[in-house]
Every structure is written in structure tokens, then in C-alpha cells.
Amino acid sequence: MPQQSSAGAKRIAVIPGDGIGKEVIPEAVKVMKAVASARGCDLSLIEFDWGADRYLRDGTTLPPDAVDVFRSDFDAILLGALGDARVPDNRHGADILMGLRFKLDLYANVRPCTLLDSRLTPLRNRDEKDIQFTVIRENTEGSYVGMGGFFKKGTADEIATQEDVNTRKGVERILRFAYEYTRKHGRKRVCMSDKSNALAYGHDLWQRTFAAVKRDYPDIESSHMYVDNLLMQMVRDPSQFEVIVTCNMFGDIASDVGAQLAGGLGLAPSGNIHPGHVSMFEPVHGSAPQIAGKGVANPMGAVLAAAMMLSYLGLVEESRQMEKAVRAAISEGKTTADLGGSLGTREAGDWLARRAESA
Ligand code: NAD
Ligand code: IPM
Ligand code: MN
């Protein structure tokens, strides 16, 4: 039960992965270490070199014992990103990223979209109070389960199927998670989003389960939006949202839009969570091959993901210090180019580490 205690060394698995994952994760580690040493808390960080290089070298993706080892020996996992043009079918990414999400049963993907500085939103006349919602994405079902296949592949008569799996238990637990999260964070509103007007079976199940679950949370205001309207409303008036709960695919898409409303993908953190179990934290962004290796990627999404992780592990003050450092860097313009600054990835990490340890 990692998040219930803050005593003892925390064992954290670190998987930088591919592309800018290998640039931003070392910065997040640097900032975490700075805070931990300033506050005298014990973090034990163990790195795993899984990613495209390793896969191309010896065929390793997610080793068979990884899940058992993480469950028994680790409190949390910090992941960068996976994706490399040399692996066009993303085989290693599917095994490592999806493998960990599915096999560790990390059913709630929590993606806060919080505007830290009004200058960062592309929306006119919006400030910090308007953009502070969280997308809670179902993370173990939907069209991500990998069920389907090809028939007559490569011919003119080819058929491809991709199943969308929705279970009563899976839908119910993510809805309950969203309501509990809302209560725990002192918020009042949950919006469930689906496409039940078109997906007459899978999302009918979402509708019926939502109708049943919301009755248990009379203190929370429940609403529903079709996903096309949801994305439009997020842009039109983001202040109407506090917690959005939706399926795997829609949550993936909505959280990139939400990230941009709050300043961009470079800033967005996420947690893949199963309460009480070893959970995994990562920036929302991918491996960004166009900018990888140039030292310009924004490390803040990774730093904020590490802060989410520390909070999950009960290191709440350490987490706050990291967040405060990010806010300070933004307000003082100590940022990478995506946020209008002129720092490189490493310089931005150095600045955050210095600020976080003195905060
Ligand atoms: P991406 O998130 O890598 O990049 C999208 C855009 O955002 C690009 O313009 C990129 O330069 C910019 N960007 C992203 N992170 C940034 C940062 N920290 N600082 C500054 N700019 C940043 O998405 P994509 O281009 O669609 O995908 C690239 C690869 O990453 C693909 O292989 C994809 O499958 C993979 N991917 C992996 C994950 C993950 O591991 N969780 C998430 C998303 C995409
Ligand atoms: C994310 C990514 C992944 C997803 C991809 C790389 C499969 O976009 O973590 O948001 O869709 O979950
Ligand atoms: Mn995504």
C-alpha cells in the first residue's frame, strides 16, 4: 500500500525509454534528488534501459519477470516515453507501455490540465481559475486491448477488425474512481463523456453504469456530454469542467487538447494508477522524434509527473516543492523554447533543481 505511508526508503523504477524520454527523465530525477536530499528523505532509484535501442540490440521489450518484480520490490515507476521510427510497428512500445498499464492493472489514467500561468493558454481572456480540470481516462479496456485481426491482408478484399471492449466491472471502477477523486480533491463536478449515440452497445453500458453509480454520489454534480461536444466545450469554456471521466481512446485525445489549453504537451503530467498498488507516472507527451537529441525538450511534464508520484507515495511536501519550482520557473521565464524561454533541457532542469531544494 505505497501511498499510505511516508516512512522508509521509496523504491522507484525509472524507465527513460526513447527520444526525449531519455532527455527529460534525467532532469526529473535530478529535481527529485535535489528535493529529497534537502528534506532528508530516502529515495532509491533504479534505472531500466528498456526502449528501442535495447529492443534493436537484443530483442528485449518487457522482460517476463518485470511485472512481478515491480509488484514485489518497487513503490512506483517513472516512465519517459516510447516510440522510435526504427520500430515502425511500435512492438516494443506496445509491450512496455501497454504491458505495464495492463499487466499491473493500472486502470485509472489521471491527467490534470492545470493552467499554471495565464500567459500560457492559447485561449483569449482565460486565466488560472478557468483551466483546472482533470481528465480521468479508463486505462485497461476499450479499443486498446489489442483484440482483432486481419483477413485477406494485403489484398483488395482486406478486412481489419479492432474490438472495443467494455466490461461492467471496468466501467464501474473507473467511474467510482472519478467520483472518489473528485471528493478527495474538494471538487464538485463530474462529467462523463462517451459516444453512446453511435456506439450502441459498448457505450450503452457506460450510460447504464453511470446512471447507477452517480446515485451513490449525491454530493457531486453529475453531467454527461458526447465526446465531440466535450472537445468543443473544452475549448469554448474550460471553466465548466472539474473532472472528466471517459474511455481509453477518448481520454487519450481529450488529454492532449487539455494539455494544450494549459500551456502545451511539454508541461502535462499523468499517473497510471491502481489505488494501493505500485503505480506508474509519466509525462503525457511522447518521444517527440523531431526534437529528440537537440536538448530543447521541456522537462516540466516529466518533473510534474515525478511530483505526482511523490505525492502518491505520501511525500506531499516534496511534491509541492517541485510544483512550486515549476511555477516559479514559468513566472520568471526560466523555460525552454516551447514556453517562450531560451533554456535548454538540462539548464531548465538545473534551474528547477536549485529552486526546488531551496524552496
Ligand atoms: P509527441 O507527444 O511525441 O509530440 C507531439 C508534439 O509535441 C511535437 O511537436 C513535439 O515536438 C511536441 N512536444 C512533445 N513533448 C514535448 C516537450 N517535452 N517539449 C517540447 N515539445 C514537446 O507525439 P507524436 O509526435 O504523436 O508521437 C511521437 C512518438 O511518441 C510516437 O512514436 C508515439 O507513438 C509516441 N508516443 C508515446 C507516448 C508514451 O510513451 N506515453 C505518448 C505519446 C506518443
Ligand atoms: C499516451 C500515448 C499512448 C496512448 C500511445 C503511445 C499508445 O498517446 O500515453 O497518451 O495512446 O495511450
Ligand atoms: Mn496520447
Side-chain angles (χ1 to χ4, degrees):
M1 300 294 234
Q3 83 274 40
Q4 291 179 349
S5 147
S6 61
K10 301 297 181 193
R11 280 177 62 82
I12 296 164
V14 178
I15 311 170
D18 299 329
I20 64 167
K22 287 192 284 195
E23 298 170 56
V24 297
I25 291 298
E27 303 311 314
V29 164
K30 189 193 288 173
V31 180
M32 249 191 326
K33 280 184 173 165
V35 171
S37 83
R39 293 188 47 89
C41 78
D42 203 356
L43 297 181
S44 166
L45 302 161
I46 293 123
E47 189 166 321
F48 295 82
D49 68 351
W50 306 331
D53 286 341
R54 176 77 188 272
Y55 174 58
L56 293 168
R57 195 165 69 239
D58 68 8
T60 300
T61 59
L62 184 70
D65 63 345
V67 167
D68 289 340
V69 169
F70 285 166
R71 276 219 176 96
S72 58
D73 295 357
F74 285 86
D75 295 302
I77 304 161
L78 181 66
L79 178 92
L82 292 150
D84 186 301
R86 294 169 298 166
V87 189
D89 65 0
N90 199 31
R91 166 74 211 285
H92 71 300
D95 281 8
I96 300 166
L97 179 67
M98 294 302 143
L100 289 171
R101 287 178 184 169
F102 281 69
K103 291 179 180 163
L104 289 168
D105 200 27
L106 304 175
Y107 66 89
N109 195 327
V110 177
R111 298 184 154 188
C113 305
T114 312
L115 182 61
L116 299 177
D117 186 306
S118 59
R119 289 169 299 176
L120 297 182
T121 184
L123 300 183
R124 236 182 311 128
N125 303 326
R126 294 287 175 193
D127 62 22
E128 293 85 342
K129 71 175 177 340
D130 295 318
I131 302 175
Q132 31 175 316
F133 61 90
T134 300
V135 175
I136 296 186
R137 165 186 181 189
E138 201 293 319
N139 212 31
T140 50
E141 304 195 340
S143 29
Y144 278 71
V145 296
M147 285 170 66
F150 298 110
F151 182 51
K152 300 185 183 174
K153 189 175 180 185
T155 74
D157 296 322
E158 175 166 354
I159 296 171
T161 61
Q162 191 87 47
E163 299 294 334
D164 178 25
V165 173
N166 299 270
T167 70
R168 169 71 198 213
K169 284 181 185 150
V171 175
E172 181 161 347
R173 70 178 177 172
I174 194 65
L175 293 174
R176 289 196 185 280
F177 181 97
Y179 279 105
E180 297 297 334
Y181 179 96
T182 306
R183 273 186 182 161
K184 192 171 157 208
H185 289 80
R187 309 305 296 273
K188 289 266 164 261
R189 275 176 270 157
V190 169
C191 177
M192 189 279 271
S193 187
D194 64 18
K195 191 70 189 168
S196 48
N197 49 354
L199 306 179
Y201 308 112
H203 287 195
D204 185 70
L205 175 61
W206 277 77
Q207 282 288 325
R208 285 180 285 114
T209 311
F210 184 54
V213 170
K214 74 180 180 192
R215 285 199 288 271
D216 291 343
Y217 298 89
D219 51 319
I220 307 289
E221 191 189 310
S222 299
S223 65
H224 169 261
M225 272 182 200
Y226 297 122
V227 69
D228 42 355
N229 184 34
L230 172 82
L231 287 166
M232 182 278 284
Q233 294 288 347
M234 280 169 59
V235 175
R236 190 187 70 83
D237 178 14
S239 71
Q240 66 189 294
F241 299 110
E242 292 188 348
V243 172
I244 294 167
V245 59
T246 189
C247 67
N248 208 336
M249 173 84 78
F250 297 166
D252 177 45
I253 299 165
S255 57
D256 265 32
V257 175
Q260 190 58 46
L261 295 178
L265 269 179
L267 263 176
S270 74
N272 302 267
I273 290 170
H274 186 135
H277 291 221
V278 60
S279 291
M280 179 164 79
F281 298 81
E282 50 173 328
V284 173
H285 66 71
S287 55
Q290 302 96 326
I291 60 167
K294 297 186 175 153
V296 298
N298 187 347
M300 288 173 171
V303 170
L304 292 171
M308 266 179 98
M309 176 175 75
L310 294 190
S311 170
Y312 183 77
L313 295 175
L315 300 170
V316 176
E317 198 44 48
E318 288 76 3
S319 169
R320 276 206 197 104
Q321 279 189 212
M322 292 174 72
E323 276 177 34
K324 266 170 67 183
V326 170
R327 283 177 195 271
I330 294 168
S331 77
E332 294 180 34
K334 303 292 181 191
T335 66
T336 45
D338 56 314
L339 299 188
S342 59
L343 299 188
T345 307
R346 202 170 300 150
E347 293 168 283
D350 288 343
W351 196 95
L352 291 169
R354 271 198 309 278
R355 173 57 67 108
E357 72 191 347
S358 63

